[in-house]
Amino acid sequence: MDNPFDSAQTQIDQAVKIAGIKSKFLDVIKQPQRIVDVKVPVVMADGKLRIFHGYRVQHNNARGPYKGGIRFHPQTNMDEVKALATWMTFKCATVGIPFGGGKGGVEVNPKELSPKELERLTRGYVQLIVDVIGPQKDVPAPDVYTTPQIMAWFADEYSKIVKKKTPACVTGKPLNAGGSLGRDTATGRGGQFVLEKLLKISDPNISDEKTVAVQGFGNAGENIAELLFDAGFKIVAVSDSTGGVFVTAGLDPRNIAKLKKKLGGIKSIGEHKKISNDQLLKLDVDILIPAALENVITDANASEIKAKIILEIANGPVTPEADKILSGKKVVVVPDILANAGGVTVSYFEWLQNILEQKWTAMEVDSKLKKIMDKATRDIYQESKLYKCTLRQAAYILAIKRVLKAEEKRNK
Ligand code: NAD
């Protein structure tokens, strides 16, 4: 099953079945409530006009305003964005923050656009979705190939249209444009808190070396690699879209980041052994961290996975068929809706600071994040023991119950 929206539906169905959840609103929480489809015209540097296809999917707002990133990627498509929006609803419910789920996408390769063209595309996209977004309606954020600068253009365009400075209309902004301290590292930091808590409470059978491989050395992947390196984990392999490197003795992710920036991609780093993205996934490591895109661990390669723990920093990297195989092999999969929820949690903090006109210190952000991630990890671990199920199934059981409760309340 390689359609991510089908995967999301299967994940919901499995949890409903395991916990025997019954509600007339089940069908409501499976489908997006609204989909906005836009064609964004952009005058390019050569004077020609190009039209970019974009969308905003609003999955569910029973627990609060829709919340979720915007992806700029040449291969993004409606089913992917619908899946990502669905996962956001259950992610926000898993960590208990007062948001629903949404997601946006634009079919574009931002690497081919100049900064001016990218700015025009972002502003054009905002103009076309402005009626359905806003601090109390739907609050976007960065995702794959979108940056704090893009979020700053987004907030500026929205503020111009509504004629009021409104930083809370989007999160992931740069610090000088209403961003929060700790947002840039939040997804990695949250993943680290979850992993460390889980290692403490579940005592899994991992080696003293705590070896780690990270696929996808972007925003989230680079951060978690650096944070785990600082915490004493041994990072043996990292990759990006160009390929990967593998060093048995361990590597320093900050050094890799410097080289990647200088050379343009990890594949061009000369001094380390090269591996493909596929080989990286099959390495004999304690912890495998997919941090790139969906569907990288499927029924075609799941039986060859040797890692003891998979920490899903990417959204949807493991398909339901692969989940089944991994569970049979006793591989612990820490689900995306818990493992990468640090990002949306600090986005919530950013939104709150904007609304309350406050500025929190990095320590405040970090300690509030730790509290939320520790509690969610404990809750899901206990739920998995109660229902004798995987962590993903447990997270969905918990989250579905919370979303249904809100849905039932507002329909009373
Ligand atoms: P990013 O654009 O910063 O980085 C993506 C990375 O993946 C890049 O290094 C790119 O080279 C690499 N990549 C792309 N295609 C690849 C492939 N086929 N094989 C290997 N690597 C590939 O994006 P990001 O924000 O770090 O997001 C990565 C994942 O994490 C996505 O699934 C996203 O939804 C998820 N996520 C991100 C955040 C966040 O705060 N950034 C929060 C939650 C979840």
Side-chain angles (χ1 to χ4, degrees), residues 151-166:
M151 299 306 118
W153 290 327
F154 194 108
D156 183 61
E157 188 63 24
Y158 181 89
S159 299
K160 276 183 182 147
I161 298 169
V162 301
K163 297 192 170 54
K164 186 171 183 258
K165 198 166 168 23
T166 316

Side-chain angles (χ1 to χ4, degrees), residues 71 73 84 88 91 103 111 142-146 183-184 186-188 215-222 239-243 260 266 277 290-294 296 312-317 336 340-344:
R71 177 169 292 197
H73 195 276
L84 290 162
M88 284 307 297
K91 187 182 303 181
K103 204 82 180 192
K111 293 176 190 169
D143 191 70
V144 174
Y145 296 163
T146 46
R183 176 62 186 90
D184 51 345
T187 304
Q215 185 204 42
F217 200 68
N219 206 340
E222 182 190 328
S239 69
D240 63 11
S241 59
T242 65
K260 174 178 155 94
I266 289 183
N277 267 293
L293 295 169
E294 304 89 62
V296 292
E312 290 188 331
I313 288 296
N315 284 304
D336 47 9
N340 71 30
V344 72

Side-chain angles (χ1 to χ4, degrees), residues 232-253:
F233 290 74
K234 192 190 213 183
I235 315 298
V236 294
V238 295
S239 69
D240 63 11
S241 59
T242 65
V245 286
F246 173 52
V247 180
T248 324
L251 44 81
D252 177 349

Side-chain angles (χ1 to χ4, degrees), residues 71-97:
R71 177 169 292 197
F72 281 5
H73 195 276
Q75 270 93 47
T76 195
N77 59 67
M78 183 62 84
D79 275 336
E80 177 182 70
V81 179
K82 275 164 67 181
L84 290 162
T86 309
W87 289 326
M88 284 307 297
T89 296
F90 297 105
K91 187 182 303 181
C92 293
T94 295
V95 285
I97 57 172

